[in-house]
Amino acid sequence: MGERCRLRGCRRVHGDRGGDGSRARAGNQEQETRGGLCVTRDVVVVGGGVAAHRCALELRRLGHDGTVTVISGERHPPYDRTFLSKDMLVEDVDLVPLAPRSEYTDQGIELLLDVTAVALDADARRVQLSDDTARRYDSLVLCVGGRPVLPPALDAPGVAVMREATHLDRLRAILARGGQLVVIGGGFIGGEVASAAVTRGLDVTLVEQAGAPLEAMLGAEVGTRVAALHRERGVKVVTGVGARAVSASQSGYRVDLDDGTTLSADAVVVGVGMAPATDWLTGSGLELDHGIVTDASCRTSVDSVFAAGDCARWWHPAYESLCRVEHWDTAGRHGTAVAKTVLGSAEPFMPLPFVWSDQHGVKLQWAGRAAGWDDVRVEGDDPARFVARYYRSGQLIGVFVSGQPREFAKARKELAASMCPPDQGR
Ligand SMILES: Cc1cc2nc3c(=O)[nH]c(=O)nc-3n(C[C@H](O)[C@H](O)[C@H](O)COP(=O)(O)OP(=O)(O)OC[C@H]3O[C@@H](n4cnc5c(N)ncnc54)[C@H](O)[C@@H]3O)c2cc1C
């Protein structure tokens, strides 16, 4: 008989499929029970990022002694993706694994790499894989993250994007060649690539269709300061005009802008956002709406299927709305939280979203909810050193800090205290 799990309040038994098989409703999920105890044996986690990694290890930490299989479309075991657009573009450093390979073996976690889940049969509790095999599950956790958006009009041969290790070689080759680089999209990734490229001596133009980089998320007050930071460090910033088309020829690239002007380049990088990697789940019965929709405890609309990380759009009880966050810290915590739910907890996941970015040697940090603010108050004019506080109806809901990590730590605490209910720090 399986052990009672270590999760406080969880009455779930792992590793024992016996019993009367009766069904108990837990939120929107039906869970198999035996004498009132929930049973799960085979857990399949689809995804190879931080959410999948944390979920698998947390299952073991909590005492799950059934199988844990992690299926990742990438060749590498889970690694720190955040370095890809920072240090790894400037220095010749290796991928940073999230754990030594031996840790998965020691924990009895099976890693299936370079294999993609291509279909879900939720009735049969089976995931079909790209190598023509299938995996049955008792519990399925979807941590599939997202893919970079590359609009067809911008998708000329050789145009680069940045999401995973396979994109790194192309980006590094571009930066090693030098010359003129156009970066389309002034979000965090575009800003980091522009920063790395100018550090490497390239002639960089950053094109942002909003009035300033990061403006769509953080407004003009912060956006103009971030634009100033780029300009001070040598990046040409073109704002208020989108890129309409990219074409390639033997002499390089031509970027057509919405205002009829054109830019010439030796290389083009597109960083205009990501889309949840959920195409293969269409028709599976899962509710999909700009991500995999879940309740506050990571449970999807389908029995025994859970979701976490960048792909999940979950009900955030403190914000009283569905949220999807594309940041490292939240994705990792989400992975830990979903493991608890798989093992029977119904604790809600309500983190204070947090993101950092390194651009031109300056740490940019944001915490809070990047929506719904009606007032922003900024202290400091130096683009490499300022603090912005975001309010809604007089309540602090977000802070953005440039170049002052200590100030950020203080502001983050202030923000956590003003959240209602407070950040659970899960
Ligand atoms: C270049 C870059 C830099 C970043 N820098 C920062 C930063 O500085 N700060 C910050 O807060 N956030 C940063 N982020 C965001 C952060 O990395 C993400 O929020 C985080 O990686 C999300 O983790 P995840 O596990 O949810 O998804 P992902 O990391 O996207 O992992 C998803 C995994 O699932 C796999 N997968 C997808 N579909 C399938 C399938 N059907 N079958 C099998 N496997 C599949 C993918 O191959 C991938 O391995 C950065 C992101 C990128 C791309």
Side-chain angles (χ1 to χ4, degrees):
M1 164 157 168
E3 280 175 27
R4 188 73 67 92
C5 103
R6 282 178 225 147
L7 185 61
R8 213 161 6 129
C10 172
R11 301 189 64 228
R12 198 162 207 179
V13 167
H14 317 294
D16 184 341
R17 307 213 63 230
D20 61 14
S22 62
R23 316 285 292 182
R25 208 158 246 300
N28 59 350
Q29 300 272 332
E30 287 192 348
Q31 294 176 327
E32 191 179 346
T33 65
R34 183 178 50 73
L37 302 175
C38 300
V39 177
T40 195
R41 172 150 189 86
D42 301 321
V43 182
V44 169
V45 183
V46 181
V50 65
H53 163 82
R54 295 262 181 93
C55 173
L57 288 178
E58 183 71 2
L59 286 167
R60 287 295 184 230
R61 197 186 68 79
L62 294 171
H64 173 68
D65 64 359
T67 68
V68 178
T69 306
V70 174
I71 298 167
S72 172
E74 294 193 71
R75 257 186 319 118
H76 305 276
Y79 58 88
D80 191 333
R81 204 175 292 293
T82 66
F83 289 121
L84 294 179
S85 48
K86 304 180 182 67
D87 314 39
M88 301 189 77
L89 290 180
V90 180
E91 294 161 45
D92 192 15
V93 286
D94 291 334
L95 289 177
V96 178
L98 297 184
R101 185 101 193 220
S102 57
E103 186 162 348
Y104 301 103
T105 315
D106 294 348
Q107 296 286 340
I109 295 167
E110 184 187 17
L111 271 187
L112 292 182
L113 300 177
D114 214 4
V115 181
T116 309
V118 293
L120 167 63
D121 181 343
D123 291 336
R125 295 197 180 191
R126 200 170 49 225
V127 179
Q128 185 66 41
L129 305 183
S130 54
D131 63 1
D132 286 337
T133 63
R135 285 292 168 130
R136 208 203 59 79
Y137 61 83
D138 293 318
S139 298
L140 174 67
V141 184
L142 300 169
C143 300
V144 291
R147 303 218 161 82
V149 171
L150 183 51
L154 307 183
D155 187 11
V159 164
V161 292
M162 177 45 100
R163 180 79 198 175
E164 53 186 50
T166 51
H167 302 139
L168 187 62
D169 290 345
R170 166 106 198 101
L171 251 296
R172 278 178 163 168
I174 286 172
L175 299 199
R177 271 201 308 272
Q180 289 182 308
L181 174 70
V182 170
V183 179
I184 299 174
F188 287 118
I189 306 267
E192 289 182 355
V193 171
S195 160
V198 86
T199 304
R200 299 276 307 260
L202 279 79
D203 177 354
V204 183
T205 304
L206 181 67
V207 178
E208 168 52 55
Q209 68 177 5
L214 299 179
E215 184 181 299
M217 176 181 165
L218 298 170
E221 293 84 352
V222 163
T224 48
R225 283 170 171 80
V226 174
L229 178 65
H230 282 301
R231 288 190 177 112
E232 276 180 10
R233 309 299 163 105
V235 176
K236 293 173 195 133
V237 184
V238 176
T239 56
V241 58
R244 185 154 39 92
V246 176
S247 47
S249 69
Q250 280 190 335
S251 58
Y253 291 88
R254 176 181 142 147
V255 180
D256 290 310
L257 302 183
D258 284 333
D259 63 1
T261 59
T262 61
L263 298 170
S264 300
D266 298 301
V268 176
V269 179
V270 175
V272 295
M274 64 79 116
T278 53
D279 300 3
W280 63 286
L281 295 166
T282 303
S284 64
L286 284 177
E287 186 183 352
L288 302 175
D289 179 10
H290 300 91
I292 303 167
V293 177
T294 79
D295 68 5
S297 308
C298 316
R299 296 177 289 205
T300 72
S301 53
V302 167
D303 274 359
S304 305
V305 182
F306 309 82
D310 279 17
C311 67
R313 191 154 168 252
W314 87 100
W315 181 259
H316 194 307
Y319 294 150
E320 296 183 329
S321 63
L322 286 170
C323 289
R324 196 170 65 72
V325 172
E326 299 173 10
H327 309 326
W328 181 262
D329 176 72
T330 304
R333 291 182 189 211
H334 215 169
T336 304
V338 72
K340 291 177 179 167
T341 301
V342 167
L343 299 185
S345 165
E347 233 179 277
F349 179 60
M350 38 184 180
L352 177 63
F354 156 64
V355 63
W356 78 95
S357 176
D358 296 323
Q359 300 185 23
H360 308 291
V362 178
K363 190 155 293 295
L364 307 177
Q365 293 166 291
W366 160 265
R369 188 178 187 199
W373 46 269
D374 52 33
D375 183 24
V376 53
R377 298 173 207 164
V378 188
E379 290 163 30
D381 289 327
D382 180 351
R385 213 176 150 73
F386 69 91
V387 177
R389 287 184 170 74
Y390 292 75
Y391 297 86
R392 186 178 54 201
S393 307
Q395 191 200 352
L396 183 69
I397 61 165
V399 286
F400 182 89
V401 176
S402 169
Q404 295 175 86
R406 281 205 192 135
E407 284 305 312
F408 178 74
K410 275 195 254 163
R412 193 176 172 183
K413 276 193 194 143
E414 196 186 323
L415 183 61
S418 82
M419 264 180 99
C420 184
D423 178 22
Q424 301 295 297
R426 283 181 52 175

